[in-house]
Amino acid sequence: MPQSTSRGFDAAAPLNTAERIVLLVVVAAAIIATVLSVALGGEPISSLVILDVAITAIFAVFLISPPLAVALLALAMVVAFLSGYDGPAFAALSVATAVVVRMCSMRVIVGFTGLLLVAAAAIAIVRPSKPVEVGVGLLVAVIAGAGGFLLRSARGREQRLAAAAKEQAAVMDQVRRDERLLIADELHDVIAHDLTVIAMQTRVMERQRDPELLAQTQREIGDAARRALRDIRRLIAPGHGEAQPERIDDFETTLAEMETTLRAAGYAPDVTADLSQPLPRLVDAALARVLRESTTNIIKHGRVGPVRIQVGADAQSARLRVSNDYSVPRVRTGLPSGGFGSTRLAERVDVLGGEFIQATEGDAWVVRATLPLA
């Protein structure tokens, strides 16, 4: 059944399925009991019987619109006064307190309470012979209201727990996504580089005839394989991501490592470094990742020849430029490229307020990263 859209401030949680079924069963049972009583008693169906059934049926209207149900109860109470049926109608109004407190907003509850008191006062004034009936009705209203409040509180707590569980599940999903992204970052930024070096050095070995250079290439392959294995063990170790140090080195160490890697792969690196002051840790790590990714891409897809690495910093920013000459014929390596690394680098640099550019300039493939220091 549709929920009411007219509930005001402090509206109660909607009825659950069990509460709906109980309300409908009670209403149906009361109507059936009234009809059977009239039928078995051999009495004709009078206007009072119709009014009784109508008042009982109004309880089902709470499932559609609580304010409308309260308004109908008020109208029924007026009709009951005019027909002399105010006693039973007041009793039904008292019982309805449970449903009103359970379902309605504070505004509707206040209005219903006013209706109940006005009805009680009217009966006491118009029917002074029924003080006990009014007192019992008010007592029933208090008890019914307390029951409705307990049901309201229980349902509200149920919804809060469900919302908290849903929020916790969303947090856990986000944690899992962050962890997968962290692992993907490290696989790409660190392990993929080592595997690329191994693949390239293996190709170099196939063409290498110099025993000394062959031995150096074998050492490079062994070192890269050991680094990759160590990093894989670190990634799959319990507690990864909790106070685990990153294997990405500082920029200075990465620069020396990448220069050695490029030379071993047959490139001719030309390094110009002008860092007059230490870089902030986040900027230093970001530049190291950009340099590592750029070197990996050059080994995968670049031309074996000159590679220019220029890095500098002043009071405002740190700048890195990596270029590979396109004029040299390309050697196809067959190594795959997913484009993930460049995208993640651009995001990482953007978070730090910097600029990341990867483009072709003349006969060169160029990567530029600029990160603010102030």
Side-chain angles (χ1 to χ4, degrees):
M1 294 183 183
Q3 294 298 325
S4 169
T5 59
S6 57
R7 293 192 302 268
F9 62 92
D10 295 331
L15 295 181
N16 58 30
T17 303
E19 290 174 320
R20 288 169 170 275
I21 293 175
V22 168
L23 181 58
L24 289 174
V25 168
V26 169
V27 170
I31 292 175
I32 292 172
T34 301
V35 173
L36 287 178
S37 175
V38 172
L40 295 176
E43 300 176 4
I45 299 179
S46 64
S47 58
L48 295 182
V49 173
I50 295 175
L51 180 60
D52 189 8
V53 171
I55 292 175
T56 304
I58 290 174
F59 280 77
V61 179
F62 278 99
L63 296 175
I64 303 173
S65 173
L68 176 60
V70 172
L72 291 175
L73 284 174
L75 178 62
M77 200 69 213
V78 173
V79 174
F81 265 108
L82 297 176
S83 61
Y85 194 67
D86 48 271
F90 184 71
L93 198 65
S94 300
V95 173
T97 306
V99 184
V100 171
V101 173
R102 166 60 188 87
M103 293 189 65
C104 297
S105 68
M106 187 59 65
R107 188 162 46 203
V108 177
I109 292 174
V110 170
F112 178 83
T113 302
L115 169 65
L116 186 69
L117 294 177
V118 168
I123 293 175
I125 294 172
V126 177
R127 313 273 192 258
S129 61
K130 297 183 179 179
V132 175
E133 188 173 321
V134 172
V136 171
L138 291 176
L139 178 61
V140 170
V142 171
I143 296 174
F149 179 76
L150 291 177
L151 290 174
R152 181 190 187 108
S153 299
R155 177 62 171 150
R157 183 171 182 273
E158 177 188 342
Q159 277 212 323
R160 289 193 296 273
L161 290 175
K166 185 176 180 179
E167 182 178 354
Q168 181 66 23
V171 170
M172 293 304 298
D173 286 342
Q174 184 61 47
V175 169
R176 283 191 288 268
R177 284 194 295 270
D178 291 344
E179 183 68 11
R180 285 196 294 268
L181 188 58
L182 173 63
I183 292 174
D185 275 350
E186 298 209 24
L187 282 172
H188 189 280
D189 293 346
V190 180
I191 299 175
H193 172 79
D194 292 329
L195 296 179
T196 300
V197 169
I198 292 172
M200 281 301 302
Q201 296 290 21
T202 301
R203 288 180 174 274
V204 171
M205 284 184 63
E206 294 174 355
R207 303 188 300 270
Q208 190 59 257
R209 295 295 179 265
D210 187 317
E212 184 176 346
L213 292 178
L214 186 60
Q216 180 182 347
T217 302
Q218 289 174 330
R219 285 194 299 273
E220 283 282 337
I221 292 174
D223 291 343
R226 283 187 289 273
R227 286 196 301 267
L229 287 173
R230 183 173 63 249
D231 289 326
I232 289 174
R233 283 195 294 268
R234 181 173 61 86
L235 283 173
I236 65 177
H240 169 70
E242 300 176 5
Q244 290 282 345
E246 291 190 356
R247 215 269 288 176
I248 289 291
D249 298 313
D250 59 85
F251 180 77
E252 185 177 351
T253 302
T254 302
L255 179 60
E257 181 186 337
M258 295 303 100
E259 184 177 3
T260 301
T261 298
L262 286 167
R263 292 190 188 281
Y267 292 81
D270 178 13
V271 178
T272 302
D274 182 15
L275 296 174
S276 57
Q277 57 183 349
L279 298 176
R281 183 175 180 275
L282 288 176
V283 173
D284 189 271
L287 289 180
R289 286 183 178 270
V290 172
L291 179 59
R292 183 179 292 274
E293 173 65 15
S294 301
T295 304
T296 302
N297 286 338
I298 288 173
I299 293 175
K300 281 183 178 181
H301 314 295
R303 274 66 171 176
V304 177
V307 176
R308 296 174 183 82
I309 301 174
Q310 298 167 298
V311 58
D314 53 31
Q316 284 73 40
S317 63
R319 299 169 301 279
L320 172 66
R321 183 181 187 275
V322 182
S323 63
N324 178 221
D325 195 349
Y326 264 1
S327 63
V328 180
R330 177 179 178 182
V331 177
R332 295 191 177 276
T333 62
L335 298 176
S337 174
F340 176 79
S342 298
T343 301
R344 293 293 295 149
L345 284 180
E347 292 174 355
R348 193 184 298 271
V349 171
D350 183 67
V351 166
L352 296 176
E355 182 182 28
F356 178 85
I357 298 175
Q358 182 177 253
T360 300
E361 296 182 5
D363 291 333
W365 173 79
V366 178
V367 172
R368 280 198 182 91
T370 304
L371 291 164
L373 299 179

